[in-house]
Amino acid sequence: MRLRTVLATLTAGLAAATCLSAAGPANAVAVDAAAADTAAAHACSSSVSLDGFSDALDKTTFGGYFVGNLSALAMDKDGSLAALADRSYLFDLDARTLAPKSVVGLADENGAALDSEGLAVDRDGTRLITSETEPSIRRYSVDGRILDRLPVPSSLLVSPAGRATGNQTFEGLTLLNGGRTLLASMEYAISGDTPGTVRFQTWQRTRGDHFRLSAQYAYRTDDPALGVPEVQALPDGRLLVLERGFTSGVGNTVRLYLADPRHATDTSGIENLTGQPGVRLIRKTLLTDIASCPSLGATAKQPQPNPLLDNIEGMVVTGHAQGTYKVLLVSDDNQNAVQTTRFYRLSVRVR
């Protein structure tokens, strides 16, 4: 019982107050212990806890579209959740229940499907969407019309036009610096760069909400076999970065990092990133390996280090209070019977 309750009861008599005073701290200790036990049961690391997960959308359909293949998430202006499928369509989901509310098909200028991987909702509600086949970034209206297309450095284009490998280009996309800067992460290294060294390209906003090419930074994964499927900006200019890989017969590796590009070298003029002296990489700190999270009863349809794991590709920050960010992840099931469309709700504490 709280102290104010005990003080209010003093007028009823010293004996009653004495009983309440004795009971209050004991009850508080019990509550604190229960809260600590609950927190420990959900902890992935000292910085991250798993609030829960949902498989409710796995292998479902909506509006004639398969609800799956989800590769990116973003918060919309109205508080709903935009969920991008890499088969060229975009869902609007209820942010609390995850129930689909609408769906829009996407295409390129010739009406062809995209390999849509990265998503950011701009301040006017339009959608910035990557396709990793070229790669490209286009701006779409809410109803799916193309409004603009951003320039891409020639070195990041897929070979033979550039030095990138197909299906290994723009995976992550996020707006930072109050929306003045757009950042896209390559999934893997381009030819000529050391394996595991991934380029992060930025653009600066210009008049009319266009974007021009700006600085580029180098990020190194813990293992060359790991790629970068998603990045999300924090208000102070740092990034949450996912690293992901898959080993047949073993399962997925998914790790969450806090990364700081603010003092990294601009690598846009460096042809090959092969350990040159003086190049400052994006600094990073491991927040958690998702395999360390409690499974909370999750099941897997194929071997996994933790049955909670799947092919996690999408990430969005949904809220922030007192140094803790609420983060939502989603896995891409590739429309595969042994993979799952799974949403994960995390609490992430950063310093």
Side-chain angles (χ1 to χ4, degrees), residues 4-18 20:
R4 62 175 179 270
T5 306
V6 175
L7 292 176
T9 313
L10 282 173
T11 55
L14 182 59
T18 302
L20 288 169

Side-chain angles (χ1 to χ4, degrees), residues 331-346:
S331 60
D332 176 357
D333 75 334
N334 291 306
Q335 213 158 334
N336 189 322
V338 299
Q339 292 179 288
T340 302
T341 297
R342 177 171 289 163
F343 289 82
Y344 308 74
R345 295 189 185 275
L346 305 180

Side-chain angles (χ1 to χ4, degrees), residues 150-170:
L150 279 60
V152 175
S154 59
S155 62
L156 302 186
L157 298 176
V158 170
S159 177
R163 295 162 47 202
T165 301
N167 203 40
Q168 297 184 8
T169 63
F170 290 156

Side-chain angles (χ1 to χ4, degrees), residues 254-316:
V254 185
R255 297 171 185 159
L256 178 65
Y257 295 82
L258 178 66
D260 191 348
R262 293 174 295 182
H263 303 291
T265 300
D266 180 356
T267 59
S268 56
I270 301 176
E271 183 175 0
N272 299 117
L273 296 175
T274 54
Q276 295 89 335
V279 174
R280 296 185 304 276
L281 299 173
I282 294 174
R283 292 182 298 174
K284 68 176 192 176
T285 302
L286 177 65
L287 294 173
T288 194
D289 188 322
I290 303 298
S292 300
C293 293
S295 64
L296 299 185
T299 58
K301 303 170 186 174
Q302 61 180 330
Q304 291 285 1
N306 179 335
L308 181 74
L309 283 170
D310 212 282
N311 181 39
I312 297 174
E313 281 204 15
M315 172 172 61
V316 64

